[in-house]
Amino acid sequence: MKFLINNINKAVRNFDIFNEIHDSADREFNEKSVRNFITGLRKSAPCITLENIYGGYYILKNKQVAQDLKFKEHLFDIVEQSKNAIVITNPNEFDNPIVYVNKAFSELFGYAYEEVVGKNCRFLNNGDTKQKALRLVRKAIKEAEPIEVNLRDYTKKGELIYDDVTISPIFDRQKNKLIYFLGIHKDVTYMQQFLEKLDGIV
């Protein structure tokens, strides 16, 4: 079993499995003993997926690995169809430009994908730069730290949006290197307007 686990998701010859079962190197190869061994594994561990492959090969499949691969295949669709506006920037390029925005981002701000890719996110401030939150954002980006702030951003038509923004640094775990920033935008304009009216009444 250890031999199969060490070669998980790889086709393994029945001859090699036989050699792992029997310590004696001079024992004559017996394909039936391999089949019996495989049958025994399936009965004792029904949760595992152990498949026969034509030509005397077997493969131990990891169901979780298969699920993870399927998830990754659909990851772009998940992000693209997210209700919240999503933007990804590349801090390893000059001025930390946008490299991706999803459909919700375009719908919220009114910009097509082609209009924003290559720009820094600051264009959304539309000159409204005297915001304490912007200083906090710049500091967090410089130090590669996550942050959540409320910003005054503007649509392509110049309409004000009160924007709850969560920014997360994304690292290459193996190299421990910063590779992207992920920004999630949520329109809280209605809530902000409600609070302002409530404050006026009080």
Side-chain angles (χ1 to χ4, degrees):
M1 184 63 178
K2 183 179 179 181
F3 176 69
L4 291 171
I5 291 174
N6 288 337
N7 291 277
I8 197 163
N9 296 317
K10 296 178 182 178
V12 179
R13 291 189 307 166
N14 51 13
F15 178 76
D16 294 326
I17 296 173
F18 179 84
N19 287 336
E20 287 293 321
I21 297 172
H22 303 287
D23 295 333
S24 177
D26 59 353
R27 184 162 181 174
E28 186 177 350
F29 172 64
N30 185 338
E31 187 175 349
K32 184 178 179 181
S33 67
V34 176
R35 288 200 301 267
N36 290 339
F37 171 71
I38 297 297
T39 301
L41 280 179
R42 287 172 175 156
K43 288 181 179 179
S44 61
C47 60
I48 68 173
T49 302
L50 194 49
E51 297 181 359
N52 293 53
I53 300 178
Y54 180 78
Y57 284 82
Y58 295 89
I59 183 169
L60 176 63
K61 289 190 174 180
N62 185 328
K63 291 183 179 179
Q64 185 61 46
V65 169
Q67 291 174 356
D68 289 346
L69 289 174
K70 186 175 182 180
F71 169 77
K72 289 177 181 179
E73 287 177 3
H74 295 289
L75 185 57
F76 175 79
D77 293 325
I78 293 170
V79 173
E80 183 63 17
Q81 296 174 39
S82 170
K83 181 179 179 181
N84 289 329
I86 293 175
V87 57
I88 298 174
T89 67
N90 186 348
N92 295 301
E93 293 185 11
F94 175 73
D95 205 23
N96 192 21
I98 295 172
V99 294
Y100 169 80
V101 294
N102 69 348
K103 183 179 179 182
F105 181 96
S106 295
E107 291 175 347
L108 176 61
F109 292 104
Y111 290 97
Y113 177 89
E114 297 78 12
E115 294 180 285
V116 299
V117 169
K119 293 184 177 180
N120 184 285
C121 289
R122 74 172 67 90
F123 82 94
L124 294 173
N125 308 140
N126 196 27
D128 186 1
T129 57
K130 294 182 179 179
Q131 303 181 50
K132 180 181 178 181
L134 288 176
R135 293 197 297 274
L136 297 176
V137 167
R138 286 192 287 269
K139 183 175 183 291
I141 288 176
K142 183 178 180 180
E143 298 176 359
E145 295 287 343
I147 188 172
E148 181 174 359
V149 293
N150 289 315
L151 295 174
R152 295 189 301 273
D153 285 330
Y154 295 83
T155 68
K156 186 177 180 179
K157 293 181 179 180
E159 297 171 345
L160 172 64
I161 288 180
Y162 288 95
D163 194 9
D164 181 78
V165 185
T166 301
I167 301 173
S168 303
I170 308 299
F171 292 88
D172 181 325
R173 293 178 181 177
Q174 293 182 338
K175 299 179 181 178
N176 194 30
K177 178 185 176 182
L178 177 66
I179 50 176
Y180 297 111
F181 278 105
L182 169 68
I184 300 177
H185 297 250
K186 186 176 181 181
D187 184 1
V188 292
T189 304
Y190 175 80
M191 180 61 68
Q192 181 65 30
Q193 291 174 340
F194 173 77
L195 291 174
E196 289 177 355
K197 288 181 181 179
L198 186 63
D199 186 54
I201 295 174
V202 174

